[in-house]
Amino acid sequence: MTADVTPAVPGGPYPSAARRFLRNRMALAGASFLAVTGVLALAAPLVAGYDPNAMELAAFREPPSAAHPFGTDFYGRDVFARLVHAARVSLLVGLVSSLTAIAIGSLLGALAGMFGGALDAVVMRVADVVLSFPTLVVIVALAGVLGPGTAMLVLVFATCNWPTTCRVVRGLTLSLREREYVQAARTFGAGRLTVIGRHVLPAVLPQVAVAGTLLVAQLILLEAVLSFLGLGVRPPQASWGNMLADAQNLTLIQTAPWLWLPPGLAIALTVLAVNFVGDGLRDAVDPRGARA
């Protein structure tokens, strides 16, 4: 799902878009939740209180208590410590993968749209090929060759998700290159790369930001699913997905909710918050949503 791809005018109404975003209570709530989650993730060693991988067999699967507010797991590891350290992994994978995919897609899309011809054809055919491969199949294959891990997830997520942004930016560039101010810049001697840097990329930034925000939510959820299946982050490194995998037993679901409820809520609330921010950005940059 992408935002409205109506081209923005350079130097457009960014202050108005910011005001519309700030009036969106759900978007602000999502942004506030993400800010708190990000601070906890960055300060994990300070706020956790325990080493997330330190085992204490005497504290085997203890329920929440004063010593362990979120309880402990099978190995006596503090669930809260693992939860905040896992936030680092999930946010890192989602943000780095999305930023990489957006950067590659925006650059290739702008080049294809501005230069056209053979370059456009090659970029679009490569994008079609990449889109034809199911992400899950690629991850399973690479996990077998390289082994599961954070770096593998970032590589696959970025490689499999740049074509969507590329297509959006290419379409916008095809429209923008016919605008009067772009034609005027070309007439006064500006090269195509200069036009891309000064006019095209700033104009497509709002739409790309919306698409990138929604992509972050998708990749955080996908990382959790893959880690749950054992194809993502390697234990003992904490991930919300592999924390859920430790509680994939009906008896544990009923008797030890502290093992699955915190990571499950963390995934759901983070993805929901990112989607709220994405929806707020989409409404803010959509010219048809502007108010007088």
Side-chain angles (χ1 to χ4, degrees):
M1 177 179 176
T2 58
D4 180 14
V5 294
T6 304
V9 176
Y14 289 110
S16 298
R19 285 194 296 270
R20 288 195 294 273
F21 181 84
L22 293 174
R23 286 198 297 264
N24 189 323
R25 294 182 179 179
M26 300 305 291
L28 284 180
S32 300
F33 178 84
L34 292 176
V36 172
T37 304
V39 170
L40 288 175
L42 291 173
L46 300 177
V47 302
Y50 294 90
D51 183 333
N53 299 322
M55 294 184 289
E56 185 181 350
L57 297 182
F60 168 80
R61 217 172 74 192
E62 286 187 353
S65 63
H68 302 281
F70 285 20
T72 61
D73 64 8
F74 287 98
Y75 304 99
R77 299 174 299 191
D78 185 77
V79 172
F80 177 72
R82 291 183 62 76
L83 187 73
V84 294
H85 279 84
R88 285 183 161 189
V89 175
S90 297
L91 295 178
L92 176 68
V93 170
L95 289 173
V96 174
S97 302
S98 298
L99 289 174
T100 304
I102 291 295
I104 295 172
S106 298
L107 178 60
L108 292 179
L111 291 173
M114 182 60 65
F115 284 86
L119 178 61
D120 185 23
V122 170
V123 171
M124 288 298 99
R125 296 300 74 76
V126 172
D128 291 339
V129 170
V130 173
L131 288 173
S132 69
F133 287 99
T135 303
L136 185 58
V137 174
V138 176
I139 290 174
V140 171
L142 286 180
V145 175
L146 304 176
T150 304
M152 184 272 295
L153 289 178
V154 171
L155 174 64
V156 175
F157 287 170
T159 302
C160 293
N161 286 281
W162 66 264
T164 303
T165 302
C166 180
R167 287 182 166 185
V168 171
V169 173
R170 172 184 176 270
L172 289 169
T173 304
L174 289 174
S175 175
L176 287 168
R177 73 180 187 181
E178 304 301 327
R179 294 293 184 89
E180 291 81 0
Y181 60 87
V182 173
Q183 294 294 332
R186 294 297 307 279
T187 301
F188 282 100
R192 292 178 180 179
L193 294 179
T194 301
V195 170
I196 289 174
R198 291 185 178 179
H199 300 291
V200 173
L201 293 181
V204 304
L205 181 60
Q207 287 74 24
V208 168
V210 174
T213 303
L214 300 179
L215 181 60
V216 170
Q218 297 172 12
L219 296 185
I220 289 175
L221 187 59
L222 183 56
E223 180 276 323
V225 171
L226 292 171
S227 294
F228 178 83
L229 296 174
L231 298 172
V233 177
R234 287 180 174 180
Q237 185 178 18
S239 163
W240 290 337
N242 61 31
M243 289 179 69
L244 285 175
D246 291 339
Q248 55 177 331
N249 180 293
L250 183 59
T251 302
L252 291 177
I253 291 175
Q254 295 174 341
T255 61
W258 64 88
L259 293 179
W260 59 267
L261 195 56
L265 285 175
I267 294 169
L269 292 176
T270 301
V271 171
L272 190 63
V274 175
N275 281 326
F276 282 157
V277 172
D279 289 343
L281 287 174
R282 180 194 60 201
D283 295 341
V285 303
D286 185 355
R288 294 173 298 182
R291 297 180 181 179

